[in-house]
Amino acid sequence: MELAVAPPMDSGQVRAGGELADSYLDVRDLTKIYATRDGVVRALDRVSLTAKRGEFLSILGPSGCGKSTLLMIAAGLIPGSSGEIRIAGQKIDRPRTDIGIVFQSPVLLEWRTALGNVMLQAEARKMEHKAALKRARELLASVGLSDFENKYPHELSGGMRQRVSICRSLIHSPDQLLMDEPFGALDSLTRDQLVLDLQQLWMKQRMTVLFITHSVAEAVFLSDRVVVMSPRPGRIDRVIEIDLPRPRTLAMRESPEFADYSRQIMELFLARGVLNEHPGGKAE
Amino acid sequence: MSDQTRTGEVQAKPDPSSIGEIEARLQRRRIQREKSERISAIVYPALVMVALIGAWEAASRVFGVPQFLLPPPTVVAASMHEHANLLIKESLLTSAEIGLGFLLSIVVGVPLAFAIFLWPPFARAVYPLLIASQAVPKVAVAPLFLVWFGFGLLPKVLIAFLIAFFPVVINTAIGLASIEREKVYLAQSMGLGPMATFFKIRLPNALPSIFAGLKISITLAVVGAVVGEFVGGQGGLGHLLLVANGSMDTALLFGGIVALTFLGVVFFGIIAVVERMVLPPHAISAATGARESM
Ligand SMILES: Nc1ncnc2c1ncn2[C@@H]1O[C@H](COP(=O)(O)OP(=O)(O)OP(=O)(O)O)[C@@H](O)[C@H]1O
Ligand SMILES: [Mg+2]
């Protein structure tokens, strides 16, 4: 457990894109304590990390290690208990509106159609209606929901709902995308597709992405860097730089380099007791 | 051709047409079932109703039950026909009391619920009193209202209001409060202000619960109006009941009850129709749950 110190962060590296990236998201010694009826819960313990502008950063960790909490704080939606979080040097003390956010659950308004839910974002931001409508339709089409624009959430499958919520987070082309296990509820095929779509979108728009997942493959596939968190209390265990060429392809997942990154992470989880092998035992 | 279609295509090709047939058949069957369900939803209870009325008619004739105890339906119908004008006049008056009392409970109840929701100290101060006030038997307050407000329309409206407004307040307040935390977070991250959040998200989110409250409230408003007329009426169906009772005109008494029931159903129906127009389909099916799931 005492290993759980954030390694020194990279300083002004040249990114894959070529530009000299400054630190955009800067989390310093962030601690979050939940005071509950039956005692305190230490959700985050002195977490420090930075993300450069346009970087794709994944947070990977076991259930309950504080990933969602970190995301909520990064969105300015809940306050940290100590430490601070800065965006482009600016301290966050209120909900950020420069973001697109995808929650762990779809969070759709039941009384709005799929299209209406995507358009909510546009309405809230007073975007030009016609252009926004066009973009909303394009986004829905890009995730295969053209025929479901006018369906209400209860008429959609769980995966479709989550796709609608992803479209909603993108319609205003935010500077930063915060995604909390956005593909968790999806079947693996749709998941692969959306992972590819997200990569393409990111390569086009180069927004800064904070992507929470507990899929090792997803994290390695998408990220510039993967932040691995230790089990509760959530700390940063290791930051792994993923040095694979882009665009990454599904075939690349079978490559030795990819497998190497996956193994690094897996071994970390084994060492921390997040995963336990049963040598010689039967599969349970 | 036969050679090539034998293996792969034979399995793949014929499907689309036959699947299309299956689809069409299932869709037809679904439409048919929905239609027959809709019809049976009306026909079955109507049949039971007719059977009950028939049994009542037969019983009162066969056993020779005195008419001042239990007049047969035909006699009730005749009496209603005879007193049609009176029944309509009193129904209108009672309707006015119900409608006004109900409107008043919306006009007072909904803003009160808003205040309870938006201003926690107010909620803490008022909520317990509101709950406690329900322990006061409101029927017992009726005579007091007569003393204060005389014998006109006002006391009846107020009694209807007093009985009807509680469910409006409680359901609205509960509807507003029970919202997923993430929905509020979402609104914040989109830059929606508190007002816009309230009207775009919280209020629509509360509507199913509010309508559930309104439906309870409207039936209570009917009770309230009749109680008011019982206590100090110079008109209205409640008063008619007392008069018919005094003159042992049991047939007219039944006629009054039928008229009141009719009023109650109509008012409830109006709310249900408005609800259907305001809410998306699924929310209503959730409210009427049992029937839809059959
Ligand atoms: N509002 C809250 N009140 C009290 N405790 C909380 C609250 N939210 C989270 N926690 C606790 O904080 C810890 C971290 O929760 P969090 O939701 O951030 O985990 P997570 O990493 O997102 O898990 P998962 O992968 O299962 O979503 C958990 O132990 C949880 O019980
Ligand atoms: Mg989570």
Side-chain angles (χ1 to χ4, degrees), chain A residues 30-58:
Chain A
L30 183 69
T31 297
K32 176 68 183 179
I33 312 275
Y34 286 110
T36 68
R37 205 172 301 132
D38 28 54
V40 293
V41 178
R42 209 182 297 173
L44 293 173
D45 189 359
R46 282 159 292 161
V47 167
S48 296
L49 62 90
T50 59
K52 288 160 288 184
R53 195 179 285 279
E55 182 171 19
F56 200 117
L57 192 70
S58 286

PDB file of all heavy atoms in Angstrom, chain A residues 30-58:
ATOM      1  N   LEU A  30      -5.615  15.634  -3.807  1.00  0.00           N
ATOM      2  CA  LEU A  30      -7.064  15.646  -3.623  1.00  0.00           C
ATOM      3  C   LEU A  30      -7.487  14.502  -2.705  1.00  0.00           C
ATOM      4  O   LEU A  30      -7.175  13.339  -2.935  1.00  0.00           O
ATOM      5  CB  LEU A  30      -7.762  15.509  -4.978  1.00  0.00           C
ATOM      6  CG  LEU A  30      -9.281  15.573  -4.926  1.00  0.00           C
ATOM      7  CD1 LEU A  30      -9.748  16.971  -4.553  1.00  0.00           C
ATOM      8  CD2 LEU A  30      -9.879  15.144  -6.254  1.00  0.00           C
ATOM      9  N   THR A  31      -8.185  14.865  -1.651  1.00  0.00           N
ATOM     10  CA  THR A  31      -8.728  13.873  -0.731  1.00  0.00           C
ATOM     11  C   THR A  31     -10.223  14.079  -0.653  1.00  0.00           C
ATOM     12  O   THR A  31     -10.700  15.217  -0.677  1.00  0.00           O
ATOM     13  CB  THR A  31      -8.117  14.046   0.668  1.00  0.00           C
ATOM     14  OG1 THR A  31      -6.713  13.815   0.573  1.00  0.00           O
ATOM     15  CG2 THR A  31      -8.714  13.068   1.672  1.00  0.00           C
ATOM     16  N   LYS A  32     -10.955  12.975  -0.622  1.00  0.00           N
ATOM     17  CA  LYS A  32     -12.395  13.104  -0.441  1.00  0.00           C
ATOM     18  C   LYS A  32     -12.846  12.142   0.632  1.00  0.00           C
ATOM     19  O   LYS A  32     -12.617  10.933   0.560  1.00  0.00           O
ATOM     20  CB  LYS A  32     -13.127  12.787  -1.761  1.00  0.00           C
ATOM     21  CG  LYS A  32     -14.636  12.812  -1.638  1.00  0.00           C
ATOM     22  CD  LYS A  32     -15.171  14.215  -1.394  1.00  0.00           C
ATOM     23  CE  LYS A  32     -16.677  14.204  -1.201  1.00  0.00           C
ATOM     24  NZ  LYS A  32     -17.203  15.562  -0.943  1.00  0.00           N
ATOM     25  N   ILE A  33     -13.442  12.705   1.646  1.00  0.00           N
ATOM     26  CA  ILE A  33     -13.988  11.908   2.742  1.00  0.00           C
ATOM     27  C   ILE A  33     -15.494  12.060   2.712  1.00  0.00           C
ATOM     28  O   ILE A  33     -16.000  13.178   2.677  1.00  0.00           O
ATOM     29  CB  ILE A  33     -13.488  12.419   4.112  1.00  0.00           C
ATOM     30  CG1 ILE A  33     -11.980  12.636   4.088  1.00  0.00           C
ATOM     31  CG2 ILE A  33     -13.940  11.509   5.238  1.00  0.00           C
ATOM     32  CD1 ILE A  33     -11.147  11.443   4.361  1.00  0.00           C
ATOM     33  N   TYR A  34     -16.195  10.967   2.708  1.00  0.00           N
ATOM     34  CA  TYR A  34     -17.647  11.023   2.884  1.00  0.00           C
ATOM     35  C   TYR A  34     -17.944  10.758   4.350  1.00  0.00           C
ATOM     36  O   TYR A  34     -17.542   9.722   4.883  1.00  0.00           O
ATOM     37  CB  TYR A  34     -18.350   9.960   2.048  1.00  0.00           C
ATOM     38  CG  TYR A  34     -18.389  10.241   0.564  1.00  0.00           C
ATOM     39  CD1 TYR A  34     -17.633   9.486  -0.319  1.00  0.00           C
ATOM     40  CD2 TYR A  34     -19.204  11.257   0.048  1.00  0.00           C
ATOM     41  CE1 TYR A  34     -17.684   9.724  -1.686  1.00  0.00           C
ATOM     42  CE2 TYR A  34     -19.261  11.496  -1.314  1.00  0.00           C
ATOM     43  CZ  TYR A  34     -18.494  10.731  -2.169  1.00  0.00           C
ATOM     44  OH  TYR A  34     -18.548  10.963  -3.516  1.00  0.00           O
ATOM     45  N   ALA A  35     -18.615  11.703   4.983  1.00  0.00           N
ATOM     46  CA  ALA A  35     -19.057  11.458   6.359  1.00  0.00           C
ATOM     47  C   ALA A  35     -20.448  10.855   6.291  1.00  0.00           C
ATOM     48  O   ALA A  35     -21.390  11.527   5.883  1.00  0.00           O
ATOM     49  CB  ALA A  35     -19.077  12.757   7.152  1.00  0.00           C
ATOM     50  N   THR A  36     -20.569   9.604   6.630  1.00  0.00           N
ATOM     51  CA  THR A  36     -21.879   8.961   6.543  1.00  0.00           C
ATOM     52  C   THR A  36     -22.368   8.614   7.935  1.00  0.00           C
ATOM     53  O   THR A  36     -21.658   8.802   8.922  1.00  0.00           O
ATOM     54  CB  THR A  36     -21.814   7.657   5.718  1.00  0.00           C
ATOM     55  OG1 THR A  36     -21.045   6.704   6.437  1.00  0.00           O
ATOM     56  CG2 THR A  36     -21.174   7.915   4.368  1.00  0.00           C
ATOM     57  N   ARG A  37     -23.593   8.103   8.004  1.00  0.00           N
ATOM     58  CA  ARG A  37     -24.202   7.806   9.292  1.00  0.00           C
ATOM     59  C   ARG A  37     -23.346   6.799  10.058  1.00  0.00           C
ATOM     60  O   ARG A  37     -23.142   6.919  11.262  1.00  0.00           O
ATOM     61  CB  ARG A  37     -25.620   7.262   9.088  1.00  0.00           C
ATOM     62  CG  ARG A  37     -26.519   7.496  10.279  1.00  0.00           C
ATOM     63  CD  ARG A  37     -27.958   7.109   9.945  1.00  0.00           C
ATOM     64  NE  ARG A  37     -28.475   7.879   8.822  1.00  0.00           N
ATOM     65  CZ  ARG A  37     -29.103   7.346   7.780  1.00  0.00           C
ATOM     66  NH1 ARG A  37     -29.282   6.048   7.730  1.00  0.00           N
ATOM     67  NH2 ARG A  37     -29.543   8.108   6.807  1.00  0.00           N
ATOM     68  N   ASP A  38     -22.834   5.798   9.324  1.00  0.00           N
ATOM     69  CA  ASP A  38     -22.014   4.831  10.050  1.00  0.00           C
ATOM     70  C   ASP A  38     -20.525   5.034   9.773  1.00  0.00           C
ATOM     71  O   ASP A  38     -19.835   4.144   9.289  1.00  0.00           O
ATOM     72  CB  ASP A  38     -22.436   3.391   9.733  1.00  0.00           C
ATOM     73  CG  ASP A  38     -23.057   3.272   8.352  1.00  0.00           C
ATOM     74  OD1 ASP A  38     -22.396   3.701   7.383  1.00  0.00           O
ATOM     75  OD2 ASP A  38     -24.179   2.791   8.266  1.00  0.00           O
ATOM     76  N   GLY A  39     -20.091   6.266  10.020  1.00  0.00           N
ATOM     77  CA  GLY A  39     -18.653   6.516   9.975  1.00  0.00           C
ATOM     78  C   GLY A  39     -18.188   7.136   8.672  1.00  0.00           C
ATOM     79  O   GLY A  39     -18.970   7.336   7.750  1.00  0.00           O
ATOM     80  N   VAL A  40     -16.906   7.458   8.636  1.00  0.00           N
ATOM     81  CA  VAL A  40     -16.382   8.132   7.454  1.00  0.00           C
ATOM     82  C   VAL A  40     -15.911   7.102   6.417  1.00  0.00           C
ATOM     83  O   VAL A  40     -15.481   6.013   6.753  1.00  0.00           O
ATOM     84  CB  VAL A  40     -15.197   9.057   7.817  1.00  0.00           C
ATOM     85  CG1 VAL A  40     -15.673  10.205   8.671  1.00  0.00           C
ATOM     86  CG2 VAL A  40     -14.097   8.270   8.503  1.00  0.00           C
ATOM     87  N   VAL A  41     -16.051   7.489   5.170  1.00  0.00           N
ATOM     88  CA  VAL A  41     -15.531   6.685   4.069  1.00  0.00           C
ATOM     89  C   VAL A  41     -14.460   7.506   3.372  1.00  0.00           C
ATOM     90  O   VAL A  41     -14.718   8.626   2.936  1.00  0.00           O
ATOM     91  CB  VAL A  41     -16.646   6.336   3.064  1.00  0.00           C
ATOM     92  CG1 VAL A  41     -16.065   5.545   1.892  1.00  0.00           C
ATOM     93  CG2 VAL A  41     -17.764   5.566   3.728  1.00  0.00           C
ATOM     94  N   ARG A  42     -13.265   6.958   3.324  1.00  0.00           N
ATOM     95  CA  ARG A  42     -12.194   7.664   2.625  1.00  0.00           C
ATOM     96  C   ARG A  42     -12.236   7.220   1.161  1.00  0.00           C
ATOM     97  O   ARG A  42     -11.773   6.139   0.833  1.00  0.00           O
ATOM     98  CB  ARG A  42     -10.846   7.331   3.267  1.00  0.00           C
ATOM     99  CG  ARG A  42      -9.852   8.462   3.114  1.00  0.00           C
ATOM    100  CD  ARG A  42      -8.513   8.098   3.701  1.00  0.00           C
ATOM    101  NE  ARG A  42      -8.538   7.852   5.149  1.00  0.00           N
ATOM    102  CZ  ARG A  42      -7.479   7.377   5.816  1.00  0.00           C
ATOM    103  NH1 ARG A  42      -6.368   7.100   5.170  1.00  0.00           N
ATOM    104  NH2 ARG A  42      -7.551   7.190   7.103  1.00  0.00           N
ATOM    105  N   ALA A  43     -12.807   8.062   0.325  1.00  0.00           N
ATOM    106  CA  ALA A  43     -12.989   7.662  -1.068  1.00  0.00           C
ATOM    107  C   ALA A  43     -11.741   7.949  -1.892  1.00  0.00           C
ATOM    108  O   ALA A  43     -11.356   7.166  -2.750  1.00  0.00           O
ATOM    109  CB  ALA A  43     -14.194   8.382  -1.667  1.00  0.00           C
ATOM    110  N   LEU A  44     -11.114   9.095  -1.638  1.00  0.00           N
ATOM    111  CA  LEU A  44      -9.880   9.439  -2.347  1.00  0.00           C
ATOM    112  C   LEU A  44      -8.843   9.869  -1.330  1.00  0.00           C
ATOM    113  O   LEU A  44      -9.144  10.612  -0.401  1.00  0.00           O
ATOM    114  CB  LEU A  44     -10.123  10.595  -3.330  1.00  0.00           C
ATOM    115  CG  LEU A  44     -11.025  10.311  -4.535  1.00  0.00           C
ATOM    116  CD1 LEU A  44     -11.284  11.596  -5.300  1.00  0.00           C
ATOM    117  CD2 LEU A  44     -10.401   9.268  -5.439  1.00  0.00           C
ATOM    118  N   ASP A  45      -7.613   9.382  -1.511  1.00  0.00           N
ATOM    119  CA  ASP A  45      -6.572   9.690  -0.548  1.00  0.00           C
ATOM    120  C   ASP A  45      -5.381  10.338  -1.260  1.00  0.00           C
ATOM    121  O   ASP A  45      -4.625   9.665  -1.942  1.00  0.00           O
ATOM    122  CB  ASP A  45      -6.153   8.387   0.152  1.00  0.00           C
ATOM    123  CG  ASP A  45      -5.219   8.668   1.319  1.00  0.00           C
ATOM    124  OD1 ASP A  45      -4.907   9.859   1.558  1.00  0.00           O
ATOM    125  OD2 ASP A  45      -4.810   7.702   1.979  1.00  0.00           O
ATOM    126  N   ARG A  46      -5.278  11.619  -1.132  1.00  0.00           N
ATOM    127  CA  ARG A  46      -4.168  12.404  -1.702  1.00  0.00           C
ATOM    128  C   ARG A  46      -3.844  12.006  -3.151  1.00  0.00           C
ATOM    129  O   ARG A  46      -2.763  11.538  -3.463  1.00  0.00           O
ATOM    130  CB  ARG A  46      -2.928  12.279  -0.822  1.00  0.00           C
ATOM    131  CG  ARG A  46      -3.017  13.164   0.415  1.00  0.00           C
ATOM    132  CD  ARG A  46      -2.091  12.686   1.477  1.00  0.00           C
ATOM    133  NE  ARG A  46      -2.529  11.402   1.995  1.00  0.00           N
ATOM    134  CZ  ARG A  46      -1.749  10.549   2.669  1.00  0.00           C
ATOM    135  NH1 ARG A  46      -0.496  10.835   2.876  1.00  0.00           N
ATOM    136  NH2 ARG A  46      -2.238   9.429   3.116  1.00  0.00           N
ATOM    137  N   VAL A  47      -4.806  12.202  -3.975  1.00  0.00           N
ATOM    138  CA  VAL A  47      -4.625  11.874  -5.389  1.00  0.00           C
ATOM    139  C   VAL A  47      -4.053  13.085  -6.122  1.00  0.00           C
ATOM    140  O   VAL A  47      -4.551  14.197  -5.963  1.00  0.00           O
ATOM    141  CB  VAL A  47      -5.980  11.486  -6.023  1.00  0.00           C
ATOM    142  CG1 VAL A  47      -5.884  11.445  -7.536  1.00  0.00           C
ATOM    143  CG2 VAL A  47      -6.430  10.143  -5.472  1.00  0.00           C
ATOM    144  N   SER A  48      -2.995  12.860  -6.873  1.00  0.00           N
ATOM    145  CA  SER A  48      -2.428  13.922  -7.698  1.00  0.00           C
ATOM    146  C   SER A  48      -2.267  13.418  -9.111  1.00  0.00           C
ATOM    147  O   SER A  48      -1.743  12.324  -9.325  1.00  0.00           O
ATOM    148  CB  SER A  48      -1.062  14.365  -7.168  1.00  0.00           C
ATOM    149  OG  SER A  48      -1.194  14.934  -5.894  1.00  0.00           O
ATOM    150  N   LEU A  49      -2.723  14.180 -10.057  1.00  0.00           N
ATOM    151  CA  LEU A  49      -2.450  13.827 -11.448  1.00  0.00           C
ATOM    152  C   LEU A  49      -2.654  15.053 -12.332  1.00  0.00           C
ATOM    153  O   LEU A  49      -3.310  16.019 -11.944  1.00  0.00           O
ATOM    154  CB  LEU A  49      -3.335  12.667 -11.913  1.00  0.00           C
ATOM    155  CG  LEU A  49      -4.848  12.819 -11.927  1.00  0.00           C
ATOM    156  CD1 LEU A  49      -5.329  13.352 -13.264  1.00  0.00           C
ATOM    157  CD2 LEU A  49      -5.480  11.466 -11.684  1.00  0.00           C
ATOM    158  N   THR A  50      -2.057  14.986 -13.506  1.00  0.00           N
ATOM    159  CA  THR A  50      -2.254  16.068 -14.461  1.00  0.00           C
ATOM    160  C   THR A  50      -2.622  15.465 -15.804  1.00  0.00           C
ATOM    161  O   THR A  50      -2.304  14.319 -16.086  1.00  0.00           O
ATOM    162  CB  THR A  50      -0.977  16.905 -14.669  1.00  0.00           C
ATOM    163  OG1 THR A  50       0.047  16.034 -15.129  1.00  0.00           O
ATOM    164  CG2 THR A  50      -0.556  17.596 -13.398  1.00  0.00           C
ATOM    165  N   ALA A  51      -3.317  16.269 -16.568  1.00  0.00           N
ATOM    166  CA  ALA A  51      -3.591  15.871 -17.950  1.00  0.00           C
ATOM    167  C   ALA A  51      -3.289  17.062 -18.827  1.00  0.00           C
ATOM    168  O   ALA A  51      -3.579  18.202 -18.465  1.00  0.00           O
ATOM    169  CB  ALA A  51      -5.049  15.445 -18.102  1.00  0.00           C
ATOM    170  N   LYS A  52      -2.666  16.766 -19.943  1.00  0.00           N
ATOM    171  CA  LYS A  52      -2.358  17.851 -20.864  1.00  0.00           C
ATOM    172  C   LYS A  52      -3.584  18.122 -21.725  1.00  0.00           C
ATOM    173  O   LYS A  52      -4.455  17.272 -21.889  1.00  0.00           O
ATOM    174  CB  LYS A  52      -1.166  17.460 -21.750  1.00  0.00           C
ATOM    175  CG  LYS A  52       0.131  17.466 -20.988  1.00  0.00           C
ATOM    176  CD  LYS A  52       1.184  16.646 -21.676  1.00  0.00           C
ATOM    177  CE  LYS A  52       0.877  15.164 -21.550  1.00  0.00           C
ATOM    178  NZ  LYS A  52       1.922  14.311 -22.125  1.00  0.00           N
ATOM    179  N   ARG A  53      -3.599  19.326 -22.287  1.00  0.00           N
ATOM    180  CA  ARG A  53      -4.695  19.651 -23.183  1.00  0.00           C
ATOM    181  C   ARG A  53      -4.717  18.674 -24.354  1.00  0.00           C
ATOM    182  O   ARG A  53      -3.681  18.385 -24.946  1.00  0.00           O
ATOM    183  CB  ARG A  53      -4.528  21.083 -23.707  1.00  0.00           C
ATOM    184  CG  ARG A  53      -5.780  21.643 -24.343  1.00  0.00           C
ATOM    185  CD  ARG A  53      -5.568  23.051 -24.815  1.00  0.00           C
ATOM    186  NE  ARG A  53      -5.542  24.028 -23.719  1.00  0.00           N
ATOM    187  CZ  ARG A  53      -6.644  24.510 -23.149  1.00  0.00           C
ATOM    188  NH1 ARG A  53      -7.828  24.113 -23.548  1.00  0.00           N
ATOM    189  NH2 ARG A  53      -6.556  25.391 -22.175  1.00  0.00           N
ATOM    190  N   GLY A  54      -5.855  18.118 -24.603  1.00  0.00           N
ATOM    191  CA  GLY A  54      -5.976  17.200 -25.729  1.00  0.00           C
ATOM    192  C   GLY A  54      -5.543  15.780 -25.422  1.00  0.00           C
ATOM    193  O   GLY A  54      -5.514  14.936 -26.307  1.00  0.00           O
ATOM    194  N   GLU A  55      -5.229  15.525 -24.168  1.00  0.00           N
ATOM    195  CA  GLU A  55      -4.789  14.180 -23.816  1.00  0.00           C
ATOM    196  C   GLU A  55      -5.972  13.262 -23.531  1.00  0.00           C
ATOM    197  O   GLU A  55      -7.007  13.696 -23.054  1.00  0.00           O
ATOM    198  CB  GLU A  55      -3.892  14.231 -22.584  1.00  0.00           C
ATOM    199  CG  GLU A  55      -3.348  12.868 -22.196  1.00  0.00           C
ATOM    200  CD  GLU A  55      -2.291  12.945 -21.100  1.00  0.00           C
ATOM    201  OE1 GLU A  55      -2.241  13.979 -20.410  1.00  0.00           O
ATOM    202  OE2 GLU A  55      -1.539  11.970 -20.948  1.00  0.00           O
ATOM    203  N   PHE A  56      -5.753  12.001 -23.849  1.00  0.00           N
ATOM    204  CA  PHE A  56      -6.760  10.989 -23.501  1.00  0.00           C
ATOM    205  C   PHE A  56      -6.245  10.218 -22.298  1.00  0.00           C
ATOM    206  O   PHE A  56      -5.293   9.452 -22.400  1.00  0.00           O
ATOM    207  CB  PHE A  56      -7.014  10.041 -24.674  1.00  0.00           C
ATOM    208  CG  PHE A  56      -8.316   9.304 -24.568  1.00  0.00           C
ATOM    209  CD1 PHE A  56      -9.310   9.491 -25.505  1.00  0.00           C
ATOM    210  CD2 PHE A  56      -8.552   8.431 -23.512  1.00  0.00           C
ATOM    211  CE1 PHE A  56     -10.524   8.817 -25.410  1.00  0.00           C
ATOM    212  CE2 PHE A  56      -9.750   7.764 -23.403  1.00  0.00           C
ATOM    213  CZ  PHE A  56     -10.741   7.959 -24.362  1.00  0.00           C
ATOM    214  N   LEU A  57      -6.874  10.468 -21.158  1.00  0.00           N
ATOM    215  CA  LEU A  57      -6.406   9.885 -19.915  1.00  0.00           C
ATOM    216  C   LEU A  57      -7.472   8.938 -19.375  1.00  0.00           C
ATOM    217  O   LEU A  57      -8.638   9.314 -19.254  1.00  0.00           O
ATOM    218  CB  LEU A  57      -6.159  11.013 -18.908  1.00  0.00           C
ATOM    219  CG  LEU A  57      -5.397  10.667 -17.641  1.00  0.00           C
ATOM    220  CD1 LEU A  57      -3.937  10.388 -17.955  1.00  0.00           C
ATOM    221  CD2 LEU A  57      -5.489  11.821 -16.647  1.00  0.00           C
ATOM    222  N   SER A  58      -7.067   7.721 -19.077  1.00  0.00           N
ATOM    223  CA  SER A  58      -8.026   6.783 -18.504  1.00  0.00           C
ATOM    224  C   SER A  58      -7.725   6.570 -17.033  1.00  0.00           C
ATOM    225  O   SER A  58      -6.570   6.577 -16.628  1.00  0.00           O
ATOM    226  CB  SER A  58      -7.946   5.429 -19.205  1.00  0.00           C
ATOM    227  OG  SER A  58      -8.511   5.502 -20.462  1.00  0.00           O
TER     228      SER A  58
END
